[in-house]
Structures are given as structure tokens and as C-alpha cells.
Amino acid sequence: MLVIALLALGSWQVQRRAWKLDLIARVEARVHGAPVAVSALGGDFRDDEYRRVRLTGRFMPGAPTLVQALTERGAGYWVMMPLATSSGPVVLVNRGFVPTEPPGLARAAPGGETSITGLVRLTEPKGGFLRSNDPAADRWFSRDVAAIAKHRGIVAAPYFVDADATPNPGGYPIGGMTVIRFPNNHLVYAITWYALAAMVAGAMVMVVRSGKRSGGQDG
């Protein structure tokens, strides 16, 4: 029974690997595809994560929401601002990264109508970095769309958009820093389970053979 269980675990990891490779291929197609309008997104936004979109509209007035970030450029903040799109919905846009020092780099969003190209991202509820968001203190550790929208008194789409690397005036915020990483260790796990199954089967064979030899000697 143990051998069968180990073989089943190995086969399950093979199936998981196939699923993961399919997911990676689909995400790659979205990331590198032509940008679509937000009106083209489906009802289940999980199927649109990392899809390239193009937004046209006006940034709403008010200070940006700064969300703590730890990136390849060091510690800092994501600059989140709501964009009232021409097609109707208000979409929270991550304009990009600003470092903690020097202060004041989270420049005001451009006035007038603007166009943003970026990737659809799913909301990050509750918090991050082992710390919970604190809307009352305007202290944020994750890009929780519903909480940020409620804090600002707006109704926003249930996703946000990471702006691409198009330079902003003055160089900040820095867009195009979306990290897309899907760990894929399923092949290693599958080999491990299959190897364990082979070892257990081999040990069982040795025990049986040893028992037969002992029985023959006793006779």
C-alpha cells in the first residue's frame, strides 16, 4: 500500500506540473499580448490576471495611497491612484515605485486626460509583510483594492492595474516593475516520490528474499 501511495503522489505531481506549465503559457500570452480595453475583461478577473490593458481617463484628485514595497530597487512605496476611465469604471492604478528616501518623490498625477498601459492584478486583501493594513492611520502593507477604495470614499473595480515602464515626468514613480514568478518544482517532487516508491519496493523485495532464505536454512 505504501508503494501505491508513493506512486500516486508522484503521478499527482506530474499532473500538477502539466497544470503549472499551462498556467505559465497562458500568463505569458497575456503579458505579451496586445493591450485590450477594460470593457473586454471577463466577469471572473482571475482569468484576466496579468492581461495587458489600456486605460484612458483622468486621475481623481487627492493624495496618492502609498503601499509599502520591497523591490529590487530597495525599500519604498507603490503609488496607488484611482483613474476615472472614459469607459465608466474607476480603476485603481499602481503608477509605480518610489524609494523611501528622499521623500516627496510620489509626485502628483498628471492632470487632464491620460492613457495608461499596464497589467491587470488581483487585489491583495488584509495586509502583507506579516502586518495588517491600518486604513485609519493611512498605513498600507498590501494593495487591498476594496479597503483603499473605501478609505478614499470611492467605488472602484475589484482589481488594480500595474502601470508599464513608460517614464513619468521627473523619473518617478517607476513603473513596469511587476514581478511574475510561478515556482515550478513539481518535476523534482515527482522524481522524489517515484524514487521513494522504488526504494520501498526494493526493500520489500529484499525482506521477502531474506525471509525465503531463512526459511530454507531452517528446513
Side-chain angles (χ1 to χ4, degrees):
M1 292 297 294
L2 179 56
V3 173
I4 294 175
L6 292 171
L7 289 173
L9 287 170
S11 298
W12 176 65
Q13 288 297 334
V14 170
Q15 295 171 1
R16 290 284 296 171
R17 180 175 182 270
W19 170 82
K20 184 65 67 68
L21 291 175
D22 178 66
L23 173 64
I24 292 172
R26 285 187 282 115
V27 168
E28 285 291 321
R30 296 173 198 166
V31 170
H32 300 293
V36 301
V38 291
S39 58
L41 300 179
D44 187 348
F45 297 108
R46 291 175 297 181
D47 294 332
D48 291 304
E49 187 174 17
Y50 300 113
R51 190 178 302 282
R52 288 185 71 209
V53 291
R54 187 167 183 82
L55 311 172
T56 300
R58 296 173 181 268
F59 281 108
M60 300 178 68
T65 299
L66 302 181
V67 180
Q68 182 174 309
L70 184 62
T71 74
E72 60 184 14
R73 291 177 176 267
Y77 302 98
W78 300 120
V79 180
M80 311 290 292
M81 294 200 71
L83 182 78
T85 67
S86 303
S87 58
V90 173
V91 177
L92 200 62
V93 174
N94 173 18
R95 297 187 61 223
F97 171 81
V98 292
T100 305
E101 298 292 343
L105 293 179
R107 300 174 184 273
E113 189 170 85
T114 186
S115 291
I116 301 290
T117 300
L119 301 178
V120 173
R121 300 296 311 281
L122 301 183
T123 183
E124 300 168 348
K126 298 183 180 179
F129 301 100
L130 303 178
R131 302 182 68 179
S132 299
N133 292 324
D134 185 359
D138 200 21
R139 190 174 295 119
W140 303 91
F141 302 96
S142 74
R143 291 164 290 191
D144 185 335
V145 173
I148 293 174
K150 181 179 179 180
H151 180 67
R152 296 186 66 111
I154 61 175
V155 176
Y159 57 87
F160 66 95
V161 171
D162 275 346
D164 66 11
T166 300
N168 286 301
Y172 291 99
I174 301 172
M177 293 184 62
T178 304
V179 176
I180 303 175
R181 184 181 300 117
F182 295 99
N184 186 14
N185 300 316
H186 299 295
L187 181 59
V188 174
Y189 296 150
I191 292 173
T192 300
W193 289 123
Y194 285 141
L196 288 172
M199 291 170 61
V200 171
M204 291 173 63
V205 169
M206 292 178 64
V207 169
V208 170
R209 288 179 177 177
S210 177
K212 287 183 177 179
R213 286 197 296 268
S214 297
Q217 293 172 358
D218 293 340

